[in-house]
Amino acid sequence: MPRKTMIDAIRDAMDVMMGRDDTVVVFGEDVGYFGGVFRATQGLQAKYGKSRCFDTPISELGIVGAAVGMAAYGLRPCVEIQFADYIYPAYDQIVSEAARLRYRSNGQFTCPLVVRMPTGGGIFGGQTHSQSPEALFTHVSGLKTVVPSNPSDAKGLLIAAIEDPDPVIFLEPKRLYNGPFDGHHERPVTPWSKHELGEVPDGHYTVPLGKAAIRRQGAAVTVLAYGTMVYVAEAAAAETRVDAEIIDLRTLLPLDLEAIVASVRKTGRCMIVHEATLTSGFGAELSALVQEACFYHLEAPITRVAGWDTPYPHAQEWDYFPGPARVGRALLETIEP
Amino acid sequence: MPRKTMIDAIRDAMDVMMGRDDTVVVFGEDVGYFGGVFRATQGLQAKYGKSRCFDTPISELGIVGAAVGMAAYGLRPCVEIQFADYIYPAYDQIVSEAARLRYRSNGQFTCPLVVRMPTGGGIFGGQTHSQSPEALFTHVSGLKTVVPSNPSDAKGLLIAAIEDPDPVIFLEPKRLYNGPFDGHHERPVTPWSKHELGEVPDGHYTVPLGKAAIRRQGAAVTVLAYGTMVYVAEAAAAETRVDAEIIDLRTLLPLDLEAIVASVRKTGRCMIVHEATLTSGFGAELSALVQEACFYHLEAPITRVAGWDTPYPHAQEWDYFPGPARVGRALLETIEP
Amino acid sequence: MTNDAPLALHVPEPAVRPGGLPDFTNVRISTAGAVARPDVDADPESIRDLAYSIIRVLDRDGEAVGPWAGFLSDEELLEGLRHMMTLRAFDARMQMAQRQGKTSFYMQHMGEEAVSCAFRKALLPGDMNFPTYRQAGLLIVAGYPLVEMMCQIYSNEQDPLKGRQLPVLYSSKEHGFFSISGNLATQYIQAVGWAMASAIKNDTKIAIGWIGDGSTAESDFHAALVFASTYKAPVVLNIVNNQWAISTFQGIARGGSGTFAARGLGFGIPALRVDGNDYLAVYAVARWAVERARRNFGPTLIEHVTYRVGAHSSSDDPSAYRPRTESDTWPLGDPVIRLKNHLIVRGVWSEDRHKQAEAEVLDTVITAQKEAERHGTLHSGGKPSVRDMFEGVFAEMPPHLRRQRQQAGV
Amino acid sequence: MTNDAPLALHVPEPAVRPGGLPDFTNVRISTAGAVARPDVDADPESIRDLAYSIIRVLDRDGEAVGPWAGFLSDEELLEGLRHMMTLRAFDARMQMAQRQGKTSFYMQHMGEEAVSCAFRKALLPGDMNFPTYRQAGLLIVAGYPLVEMMCQIYSNEQDPLKGRQLPVLYSSKEHGFFSISGNLATQYIQAVGWAMASAIKNDTKIAIGWIGDGSTAESDFHAALVFASTYKAPVVLNIVNNQWAISTFQGIARGGSGTFAARGLGFGIPALRVDGNDYLAVYAVARWAVERARRNFGPTLIEHVTYRVGAHSSSDDPSAYRPRTESDTWPLGDPVIRLKNHLIVRGVWSEDRHKQAEAEVLDTVITAQKEAERHGTLHSGGKPSVRDMFEGVFAEMPPHLRRQRQQAGV
Ligand SMILES: Cc1ncc(C[n+]2csc(CCOP(=O)(O)OP(=O)(O)O)c2C)c(N)n1
Ligand SMILES: Cc1ncc(C[n+]2csc(CCOP(=O)(O)OP(=O)(O)O)c2C)c(N)n1
Ligand SMILES: [Mg+2]
Ligand SMILES: [Mg+2]
């Protein structure tokens, strides 16, 4: 099977869908002629024309607001926000409009919209090119939130998101675009061409929203992770030799609670990792849910490892990022509190 | 001591601070001549002049953005957002600007700003006059978030917020403006004039940010609540005769974790109530924290009672609102799971 | 440049406040018939004066004059009159129903009936309005049943929106009426997006955006103008300047510019001001802008100059912030009376027939109200189900919502 | 009106793309000296043509001509030339340092040096700029030490911002330079708020907002214009139109309006366009607008017409989206060369002295660079502490952050 980078897989998903369904349109800042600052839309304008793939003014509100109108008309817009850090100007259109349109109109108008955005740090992008705002979407009723961790999933999840009848927030861990970065920033990252999850089937396929994947079977502790943290957890497990069961959530909402609960009931322990700041991060919801569902199976406190409650700093990037050493320490503590 | 409604207490706080400190300015939609749709700023323009209290264009972004600039200049703006449901257009200015200004300028510029907004449902306000968005602020590093539950606290907390050197989100449960509403919507609410927490000292005093209050001592279970839910919890405890210890958090961030942990270690059980939607609500963070700090003291799962994960409906308001019956049932379950 | 005189903040104020005498002498009003009617593909720069004048058709004597006159037959005008009368009667009854506790909230149109009623006549089936809460005329003219409107207001068992929305936040796709948002202005950019979609699909439908004077300050207004200007979207962008935004007079949102229409000039969007209380003028201007959009010449911005005679909503009492008699002195008069007089002048209507029509219209509205109330009102009778509260958040209910619905026992 | 011809989406395109021949013939440029200089309290309506012309002082022969000439002495101009040369040399060295891996990121000013350097000269101590990332000239002219700028870029142990900010997002309150945000446009409305505060306090200081052509599409731009217009805030609002927003040409943000300055007209804000590559013109226009603000006549919008000669940032390669030689054909020339030629024409400068000055300037920059690098570069040498990461989130560190700092072991 062909191996692709995550960017190529994401582009492939849009390409497949634009080819199959002429209601799919793609736009955003620098997305048209140039093909996006991460090149995710490269070639789409040339292939599908300027009406289907185009540059927009720098207005995230405008991008999402116009997309809501287009979705109400009957199109399936898949828009790009250049960095997740720049989604806030569009937050009202997402929360008050996209998320509630089906509900408030009793299904007369719907909003099949995908908002793609690169998320996470690790590229020395400082406070405004590093954020992981997923918890700001999972709190909003009416939104689905997806975070792929590899090219194969990214394509299948993005196709599922574009086909989904409701708005989907699609967060792309930019540090994974080129390879399964495990937090060892001092080492070069393995390219996707050397990783089996870099194998991306041609053509149309979906990875269903709401289904997690077990990345590593284990008996000692369940690790809940998504995006970049899946590989950091894998590295931490390998380095600490803890027999962790690592679950890649893939979709945060709807959540695959069944898979999580089954695993935690088996291992009796749970650790949650994410890159976003700790307080009110999505890890809090995971912790609460696991505790509610597995209280009598838990042998130790559920632990959370996350970004610190500070803005993402530039110089101290690797002190902020919850890397394998920090995750490994927490893993050991979860085993022996 | 004089008894005041919560609106009067809030107005009093602004009045006291405008009188003491001429850098305090107050503005927002309909806030100037008219005195605000809830009348919280009535009389302030007449007393302090149009430069200190004025109407603004309908632009929440503009209100907060201008306030950030004023705060950087050296003023202490205390602005009103007409309903918390309308804060999203200003979300970028709050998250990317107000919250990070001190940090990113290494203290050269600061943002002593208070953003007041009525929150919560119970007035048949439908989807856009009922929301409780506190978790969207507690996730943001650099913000403090306050939710008063009575006139006496409201005044003291608001003065503390205005004097605070950093941005404070001040959420006012609008259903409490007139009295300690306990969720029994079929009964008239007791006015604050008949409640001891309606006693509001004259002049300047503060209730420190970050300190919770124990509203009811109890041994059977700790209930964590804030805003309107404090009274709903009280009613539920009375009606179920569960000996609950009810903690009114007052400030969500910084959180009085010490008080919470002390109580849960004592009772061995914990229930969390809020009106906001459940998933990724602030209850998730509370549950995670309690579980982390009190794991070995917990005798039963921590429970959460919250608004459902739907938009706040109009007609089904009282089915949505976590009223005393629902809270009471959860209380009993927390005692005997 | 080293001027050390202290600066001072300028805060705009309306001409009068309660206690003062209403005064609209500062409102510059063009003579009926005086404003030219350009070609629909005119260069925006060449017609920039239209953003500063007021297009008017009906003169003081009730005659229709000038280049914007003559687009509607007597039959159409009589129908228009009935639409406005229906809206007014509907408002009166629903306002009263709210006072009687049959619903939680109401917003009326008093004085602004011509704007939505006349505009709607210029549209074709399939065109989509993105309205605010003060354009129910769009529904009435489109033939949406009064009973359904009322059921929405009552949040009863027949409420097409299942009790989920605040009263008057209607939605009817079939009638070209987009779901109203309680958040101001958000729908303005959506209208532009919808229009872009129509252009992308090489369709022939156009979109119509609606916004209040106060709400033009919101960000979505800017996004709408930027996108409409860049992509020449087939959209008509209406600003209903009814002089007030709750307690805030229009000068706070307008600031230093003479008019709201002027906002369009900075975007190269043709901008017209029209007498919003003149049914004929609103229709003529709507027709012009709709044709522009339909022929792919791009967007038009229209400022409808009118006056909010009633309170902002059932929660508001305007006597706290403006003179009680201000509405009486509003120089553009009342849209219903003006159209009535015109029809009388034309000899196709009379005071008697008007009275009779009033009675008929009231009767229709009351009949509808009775019918609606058979299905319940907010606090009594038939209700939407609690199950409905959990439906429709997503197309398919995800597991966590199913669990919650079970917990709720429904 | 029942035109059934299908609609089509209009997507603006630049005149040329890579492979094509650069072509600026569509750029209308006024003759130097041709645009009148109105009084600073002129009625905005009466000077609306200033939003469509270009104010220029230096003519082809290097002479300063017309009503906007004559505001700077030869000494001031010589100093101005040195400022621009310093900025250019600084850029070249830092761009190279980035390529050498001494920092993560850099953004240069090539071609736009006159805008910030000349503007800054019109300000007084205490005035506050709210800059974007392409106005480092404001700091250089204000005398902010090059070493400190470099320490910020290197995120080293002497970085005044403790390593927290991306390179070039400087902050220096003392030098009237507000903390740059990585989020576009947000600071524009803040500038208006700061100016309002100055007016509220009856101060004499003014604020200056800065924004790029592309960023005018953001919501904050609208909020700024609304608030500035309503409260007549003492603020100068600059738009730096350097023709590009990363890969997106200015026509996407500008849409159907002829110029960006035109945006101001809809708000009754005087709007001027100036040759941004003409040091004398920028200064003269800045002085006019600053005086207007200082004398409490309210805001001014200025569009600086210039060209981004370099890449958007160190992460960008413009050859992918515009002809490589486009910058050579930019009709407004190079700001440094134009000022140099003017000074030579005036007989106070020569090619030789210019060469010598170049060497001196480079020397100064290199000396500063050596000094800065003694304190470390991003990946080697002295660093800000990890403790610094936890400081300054709040004035006082709350318990949860203290716990986290302990967990981090610092
Ligand atoms: C985003 C947002 N901010 C504030 C409000 C509260 N609000 C409701 S109506 C209104 C006034 C609107 O005035 P205008 O746009 O002139 O419309 P009008 O009511 O006059 O028709 C305000 C401030 C809101 N609904 N949404
Ligand atoms: C809110 C936001 N959206 C997007 C970006 C990404 N971005 C950074 S610079 C830039 C282009 C800005 O162009 P312009 O305003 O013309 O300024 P210039 O770079 O030309 O000086 C973009 C899109 C951002 N930083 N912030
Ligand atoms: Mg209005
Ligand atoms: Mg630019």
Side-chain angles (χ1 to χ4, degrees), chain B residues 115-183:
Chain B
V115 185
R116 290 179 44 241
M117 45 190 143
T119 180
I123 61 159
F124 277 101
Q127 302 178 22
T128 52
H129 303 85
S130 306
Q131 294 165 43
S132 299
E134 62 273 10
L136 303 176
F137 300 110
T138 54
H139 188 43
V140 179
S141 308
L143 298 180
K144 298 182 177 173
T145 301
V146 176
V147 189
S149 71
N150 61 69
S152 168
D153 278 359
K155 179 175 170 184
L157 287 164
L158 184 51
I159 291 178
I162 294 173
E163 291 180 340
D164 196 273
D166 289 306
V168 180
I169 305 296
F170 197 85
L171 296 158
E172 305 170 0
K174 63 178 87 70
R175 200 48 167 95
L176 296 182
Y177 278 156
N178 295 318
F181 177 70
D182 63 4

Side-chain angles (χ1 to χ4, degrees), chain D residues 128-203:
Chain D
M128 186 62 69
N129 286 284
F130 288 73
T132 82
Y133 43 73
R134 234 185 280 282
Q135 280 94 44
L138 297 172
L139 283 174
I140 286 176
V141 177
Y144 188 66
L146 300 184
V147 177
E148 282 198 43
M149 291 172 71
M150 290 168 172
C151 289
Q152 196 282 326
I153 292 167
Y154 290 144
S155 278
N156 67 17
E157 69 191 8
Q158 287 292 314
D159 172 4
L161 306 183
K162 305 282 188 193
R164 294 177 190 150
Q165 271 283 51
L166 205 63
V168 316
L169 300 189
Y170 315 103
S171 175
S172 180
K173 187 173 191 173
E174 201 190 324
H175 297 84
F177 194 97
F178 187 72
S179 156
I180 303 177
S181 178
N183 300 67
L184 296 171
T186 46
Q187 79 290 346
Y188 221 52
I189 173 70
Q190 293 166 8
V192 175
W194 197 99
M196 288 172 68
S198 182
I200 289 170
K201 297 300 290 172
N202 305 126
D203 199 344

Side-chain angles (χ1 to χ4, degrees), chain A residues 144-288:
Chain A
K144 298 182 177 173
T145 301
V146 175
V147 190
S149 71
N150 61 69
S152 168
D153 278 359
K155 178 174 170 183
L157 287 165
L158 184 52
I159 291 179
I162 295 174
E163 291 180 341
D164 197 272
D166 289 305
V168 180
I169 305 297
F170 196 85
L171 295 159
E172 305 170 0
K174 65 177 87 70
R175 200 48 167 97
L176 296 182
Y177 278 157
N178 295 320
F181 178 70
D182 63 5
H184 280 293
H185 54 93
E186 69 287 358
R187 308 204 280 246
V189 71
T190 320
W192 283 117
S193 60
K194 301 237 169 83
H195 195 285
E196 58 170 6
L197 290 170
E199 292 193 353
V200 178
D202 281 335
H204 180 276
Y205 69 96
T206 61
V207 172
L209 307 188
K211 288 276 162 254
I214 296 182
R215 295 295 171 203
R216 184 189 190 286
Q217 306 269 359
V221 51
T222 301
V223 177
L224 304 181
Y226 47 94
T228 312
M229 288 303 127
V230 170
Y231 305 99
V232 176
E234 283 179 355
E239 288 158 22
T240 54
R241 291 164 201 266
V242 169
D243 185 22
E245 178 141 307
I246 300 175
I247 302 187
D248 177 356
L249 299 177
R250 303 201 289 197
T251 305
L252 308 192
L253 198 136
L255 184 69
D256 192 348
L257 190 58
E258 226 173 301
I260 295 170
V261 170
S263 175
V264 177
R265 291 203 173 153
K266 183 180 80 176
T267 62
R269 294 169 197 266
C270 181
M271 181 175 88
I272 298 156
V273 278
H274 59 63
E275 196 179 339
T277 50
L278 180 78
T279 298
S280 281
F282 190 64
E285 180 62 30
L286 290 171
S287 173

Side-chain angles (χ1 to χ4, degrees), chain A residues 92, chain B residues 29-30 58 60 82-83 86 89 129, chain C residues 107 112 132-134 182-184 211-216 218 240 242 244-246 308 312:
Chain A
D92 188 38
Chain B
E29 295 157 19
D30 301 297
I58 304 175
E60 292 75 14
Q82 205 159 78
F83 286 85
Y86 307 140
H129 303 85
Chain C
M107 298 183 97
E112 304 176 37
T132 83
Y133 43 75
R134 234 185 279 282
N183 301 68
L184 295 171
I211 205 167
D213 50 297
S215 306
T216 59
E218 287 285 10
V240 182
N242 63 3
W244 290 93
I246 310 186
R308 195 197 79 209
H312 169 71

Side-chain angles (χ1 to χ4, degrees), chain D residues 112 133-134 212-215 240-246 248 308:
Chain D
E112 303 177 37
Y133 43 73
R134 234 185 280 282
D213 49 297
S215 306
V240 182
N241 176 3
N242 64 3
Q243 312 302 318
W244 290 93
I246 310 185
T248 306
R308 195 198 78 208

Side-chain angles (χ1 to χ4, degrees), chain B residues 55 73 97 103-104 108 166, chain D residues 171 179 181 203 231 389 395:
Chain B
D55 289 320
Y73 174 93
E97 301 297 320
Y103 191 78
R104 74 173 202 237
Q108 287 174 11
D166 289 306
Chain D
S171 175
S179 156
S181 178
D203 199 344
Y231 303 108
M389 176 173 71

